[in-house]
Amino acid sequence: MDIKIPKRPWYVRYRKYLLGGAVLVALMAYAVVLQMGPRTLKVEIDESQVATVAEGDFLEYIDVNGVVSPATSMRVNAREGGTVERICCQNGDMLHRGDTILVLSNPKVLEEMAAERQNYELQQMQHRQQLIEMRQKSITLRSQALQANFELKKMAQDYELAQEEARMGVRSKAQLQVARDEYDYNRQRTLLGIESLREDSVLNVIGRQLIEQQMAMEARKLESSNQRLSALTILALCDGQIGNLNATIGAQVATGEQVGEIGVLSDFKVSARLNEYYIDRVQTGLPATATLKGRRMAFEVSRTTPQVQDHSFAIELRPATPASSEGTSPLRPGQTLRLQIELGKPERQLIVPRGNFYAQTGGQWIMRVDADGQQARRVPIRLGRQNAEHYEVAEGLQAGDRVIVSGYDAFGDAEVLQLSHVSF
């Protein structure tokens, strides 16, 4: 006898399908939830750099490399052109005023000097002959003047004798008048002769003075010619260090050409270039510091140039204290210094150490570690000024917050980091 088997309910018959569908729906719901929630990434926190946001003194400054050079340099120019015959020093040598740098040779200068000396000697002979002639003429004039004075005196005596004879009656009045007329005539003629001799004598003196002046001028001209010979030896014009000496044996040097430069090592300057962003903020007088051989040195901006080239402009800095008389300054030409130019006074601000996170975030957000140290979350921030060590925090963080300041390349677009092996 057959037994009737009752029909099973539909949910029993299709339980496997229902169970599989429920699992699939659950998985889909989980995926949707994950998509809608923050993106999470598990990281090893030991591989990242964590810093604490703190309130401290913030000093805005610029880090820049500067090159040391002498504050005063003198160009060494060739006063006379020629061929380099001898080089007496090398770049970097210390020279004293009057030390020989180069010796040039110039046969043309020697020939011109020989011709000028010969002409000078010939002119001197001619002038000496003229002077001798003028001296002789001067003697003749003095002799003639002496003779004229003697005749004038003799005529005066003759006239006095005629007057005496007239009083004695030996001469008549008519004869006395004739003697008087002869005396007046001869006297006037003799005085004119004496005056002419006097003028001739003055002209003779002036002529001699002119000749002597010409001789002096020719002597100075010869001396100047001799200086051309001495100009072939190029000397140091001051104490200092020679540099930019560009000369080789046998090379031609033109008149006025620069052959070197002497740096005066009693004072120094530091030259640097800054980004054009700071052109309105960097002014003369701003303080700066640099560390050299463990010694902290103070500088100040001494000059700025308004010309912008390749998005940068040039500045010069001088040591804040003058160099000592003993020359113990640690600065040397050619040194490179890392300078920190201060743009203001220290201010109490909320600061965070600099890090590579800025390259990915642009200072718009940062990963902040939770208080329990298990997670780090992306939080928006706003950074203000910066220096070589810190960023100024304007918004988004508080003192005591811990943040990841190392690079975020490995985090991708994760918004939440699951931290493991945290060590603080």
Side-chain angles (χ1 to χ4, degrees), residues 325-358:
S325 58
E326 293 80 6
T328 57
S329 172
L331 298 177
R332 292 295 180 269
Q335 286 178 327
T336 299
L337 298 181
R338 188 67 176 175
L339 294 158
Q340 295 180 346
I341 303 175
E342 301 176 7
L343 299 180
K345 299 295 183 181
E347 300 177 5
R348 201 70 177 172
Q349 298 290 343
L350 199 63
I351 56 176
V352 61
R354 290 179 67 97
N356 294 334
F357 75 94
Y358 192 89

Side-chain angles (χ1 to χ4, degrees), residues 79-80 113 222-232:
R79 293 182 296 163
E80 190 71 42
M113 288 182 57
L222 181 63
E223 183 180 357
S224 177
S225 177
N226 293 334
Q227 289 177 356
R228 294 186 62 189
L229 179 61
S230 63
L232 293 175

Side-chain angles (χ1 to χ4, degrees), residues 114-132:
E116 290 179 1
R117 176 172 290 279
Q118 184 178 2
N119 181 65
Y120 169 77
E121 292 176 352
L122 179 61
Q123 293 292 332
Q124 291 292 308
M125 291 177 60
Q126 294 177 353
H127 291 325
R128 290 191 185 97
Q129 184 178 357
Q130 291 175 354
L131 287 175
I132 292 173

